[in-house]
Amino acid sequence: MENCFNESPKYMFTSESVTEGHPDKICDQTADAILDVMLKDDPYSRVACEIAVTNGLMIILGEVTTTCYVEIPDIAREVIKDIGYTHPEYGFDYRSCGMLVSLNRQSPDIDVGVSKSREAKKGSKDELDKVGAGDQGMMVGFACNETEELMPLPVDLSHKLTRRLAYVRKNEILKYLRPDGKSQVTVEYHNGVPARIDSVVIGAQHDPGAEKTIEKDVIREVIKPIVPDELIDKNTRFIVNGTGKFVVGGPVSDTGCTGRKLLVDTYGGMARHGGGSFSGKDPTKVDRSAAYMGRYVAKNLVAAGLADRLEIQIAYVIGIAHPLSVSVETFGTGRVSHEVILDVINKHFDLRPAAIIKTLDLRRPIYRQTATYGHFGRHDLDLPWEKTDKAKIIRKEVFGKK
C-alpha cells in the first residue's frame, strides 16, 4: 500500500535528544524522583511537581496531596549529584546550589472530579468508572516499523547517541566530558523508508582545552559505535560542537524547566503532540497515563500488522472517566480500515483512567528512569507500555494468523 506519510518520494526528517545534564532534563529527573519517593510510601499520592533551575538555584513548586513526609531538597541534591554536577568549576554543584520549595495541596475542585467521576456520581457501580480524568486535553500514541523498538529512526538514533555520550563520560573513556550534551540526527527517506543518514550532530560539554581533539574523539567513541554503517555514505556529515567550543553549559548557560523537551520525550516530532508534559505528574493526570496507553495501543497494533505507521489520539475532559473521542491515522499504511482498527481498540483496550492505571500498573515508583532518553522505545527498561502482549491475539482475530 502506498505510504502517504510524506507526499514527496524523497525527504529529510530530523529529531534530537539531550543528555541528563541538560538543564530541562535536570528538572524532569528531579520532578520524577520526588514523584517516585511519594508513590513508594503512598501509591495514591497526587503529585503535580514543576521544577525550574538556573545558575546556582533550583525552584520546586506545584501541588501535592500525600500521606508521607518527603525531604524534598535532599532528593533534589541527590539527583543533581547522580547526573554529575559534582565540581564547583562546572558552575552548578549539588552541594552549594540554593533550593526554594513551594508545594501546596491539590485543589479540591480538581479532586472532586478525579476521586469521583461524573459516571460514579450518576450511579455507575463499575470500579473502573470511579476515577475521572485529571484534566482535559488530547493525548497521542504512535508506533512505526522503522526500528526494532517500533520507533522513528531519527529519534531512536538520537537517544542512543546521547546515552552513549553519557556512558563515555561516566566511564571516563573521554575524561574531559561534562554533563550537558545534545544530539541531532537527520535521516533521508525514500518513499517513506529510511535510506541514509544525512547528518549527525553532537553537542558535548567539555573541560577547557579539549577543543583540539573532541571532534575526532566523539566521532570515534560516540557516533561510530551507534550509527549503522550501512546508512552512512560519503555525503553523511558529522558535526561536533558547531561553535567549536562548549565549556560553559548546564544551568549556568541556560535556564531549565520541566516539560520543555516534549518531542524528545515522545517521538521526535514525527507524531503530533497534545501539548501536555509527563514528568512530575502522578498517573491520574492523563497527560501522562493516557499518552503511555496511547503508545501501548499503537505499538500492539503495529506489531500485529494492522499498519506500518499508526497514530492514535485520545481526548478527555476533567472529571469524566470515558474519553470524549478516539481517532486513528495510519498515513496510508493501514492493511485494514480505520473502522476495523477502532473496533479492535474498543474491544482490547480500556481507555478510562482507572483502567489505564490498572492495566499498566502505574501506581509505583517507575518514573525517574523515564525522564531521560525518551519515555518510549526503551528496551533497556522494563516499561509496561512497551509490551506487545496483545499483538498475537489481535493479529489472529483480524487476519486469522498466529
Side-chain angles (χ1 to χ4, degrees):
M1 185 173 289
E2 182 184 0
N3 190 323
C4 299
F5 175 62
N6 191 296
E7 294 180 358
S8 173
K10 183 184 292 187
Y11 59 93
M12 304 283 190
F13 197 92
T14 302
S15 297
E16 71 163 354
S17 179
V18 297
T19 67
E20 62 254 46
H22 187 279
D24 295 331
K25 280 297 158 193
I26 296 172
C27 298
D28 287 341
Q29 290 168 91
T30 305
D32 274 339
I34 293 168
L35 171 65
D36 278 353
V37 171
M38 291 183 178
L39 288 178
K40 182 180 180 181
D41 291 340
D42 177 9
Y44 291 88
S45 295
R46 298 279 177 79
V47 182
C49 182
E50 305 284 351
I51 312 287
V53 65
T54 187
N55 190 4
L57 177 66
M58 175 175 280
I59 304 171
I60 302 169
L61 63 163
E63 298 78 45
V64 170
T65 301
T66 186
T67 61
C68 63
Y69 175 78
V70 178
E71 192 62 54
I72 301 292
D74 288 354
I75 297 170
R77 292 187 192 281
E78 190 64 29
V79 172
I80 297 167
K81 179 182 178 182
D82 289 348
I83 290 169
Y85 286 103
T86 57
H87 303 289
E89 59 264 33
Y90 292 175
F92 188 79
D93 178 74
Y94 78 99
R95 288 160 291 206
S96 60
C97 66
M99 294 280 173
L100 178 61
V101 180
S102 179
L103 293 173
N104 301 304
R105 289 182 63 84
Q106 185 182 59
S107 165
D109 292 348
I110 296 175
D111 179 68
V112 74
V114 176
S115 296
K116 190 173 184 180
S117 69
R118 180 177 293 185
E119 290 91 336
K121 291 171 183 173
K122 288 185 176 182
S124 174
K125 303 301 181 182
D126 189 335
E127 286 292 318
L128 297 179
D129 267 347
K130 285 187 176 181
V131 177
D135 203 350
Q136 71 174 46
M138 53 281 182
M139 292 78 214
V140 174
F142 181 80
C144 63
N145 61 5
E146 292 180 14
T147 64
E148 180 184 350
E149 295 85 358
L150 299 186
M151 287 287 286
L153 182 62
V155 73
D156 181 68
L157 286 177
S158 294
H159 287 318
K160 288 175 179 176
L161 285 164
T162 48
R163 283 171 58 193
R164 176 67 185 177
L165 185 62
Y167 176 87
V168 166
R169 171 177 64 88
K170 291 178 178 180
N171 287 274
E172 298 188 338
I173 296 171
L174 298 179
K175 295 183 179 181
Y176 55 74
L177 290 178
R178 292 183 174 185
D180 202 353
K182 288 186 172 185
S183 69
Q184 184 172 288
V185 176
T186 299
V187 175
E188 183 176 309
Y189 286 77
H190 294 177
N191 296 312
V193 178
R196 58 179 293 272
I197 303 296
D198 182 73
S199 63
V200 177
V201 178
I202 298 290
Q205 188 189 14
H206 58 84
D207 291 342
E211 295 87 346
K212 293 181 180 180
T213 63
I214 190 168
E215 181 175 15
K216 178 181 66 177
D217 291 345
V218 167
I219 290 173
R220 182 185 68 249
E221 300 292 346
V222 178
I223 296 176
K224 288 297 184 70
I226 297 298
V227 179
D229 288 338
E230 63 270 21
L231 294 178
I232 298 173
D233 59 28
K234 63 181 182 180
N235 295 317
T236 300
R237 294 167 291 172
F238 297 151
I239 303 169
V240 178
N241 289 353
T243 66
K245 185 178 181 181
F246 187 7
V247 173
V248 180
V252 177
S253 64
D254 186 16
T255 298
C257 291
T258 43
R260 285 209 304 200
K261 286 290 175 282
L262 302 183
L263 301 187
V264 171
D265 286 341
T266 53
Y267 307 102
M270 194 166 283
R272 283 164 281 204
H273 197 292
S277 62
F278 300 156
S279 292
K281 296 179 181 178
D282 75 84
T284 67
K285 278 72 173 176
V286 284
D287 279 343
R288 180 168 221 157
S289 55
Y292 290 168
M293 191 65 173
R295 166 64 176 174
Y296 180 59
V297 173
K299 190 172 184 181
N300 274 274
L301 296 179
V302 170
L306 273 62
D308 294 337
R309 183 185 302 271
L310 187 142
E311 180 184 271
I312 177 174
Q313 185 199 72
I314 314 165
Y316 293 88
V317 66
I318 190 168
I320 299 178
H322 289 79
L324 288 183
S325 68
V326 179
S327 61
V328 296
E329 175 58 70
T330 58
F331 309 98
T333 71
R335 295 181 178 85
V336 294
S337 69
H338 286 186
E339 289 75 19
V340 169
I341 293 174
L342 288 170
D343 286 343
V344 168
I345 293 171
N346 289 331
K347 180 177 180 180
H348 290 280
F349 302 96
D350 193 331
L351 303 179
R352 293 173 292 175
I356 293 172
I357 292 169
K358 180 179 179 181
T359 298
L360 301 180
D361 191 15
L362 296 180
R363 293 194 188 276
R364 54 196 177 104
I366 60 173
Y367 298 106
R368 180 184 168 186
Q369 62 184 344
T370 68
T372 49
Y373 312 119
H375 293 246
F376 308 125
R378 298 293 300 275
H379 280 188
D380 58 312
L381 304 177
D382 183 21
L383 300 176
W385 51 88
E386 290 299 312
K387 298 183 185 302
T388 53
D389 52 330
K390 292 183 179 289
K392 184 176 180 180
I393 189 171
I394 291 170
R395 182 165 55 248
K396 186 176 181 180
E397 284 185 6
V398 175
F399 301 115
K401 301 177 182 178
K402 293 185 180 180

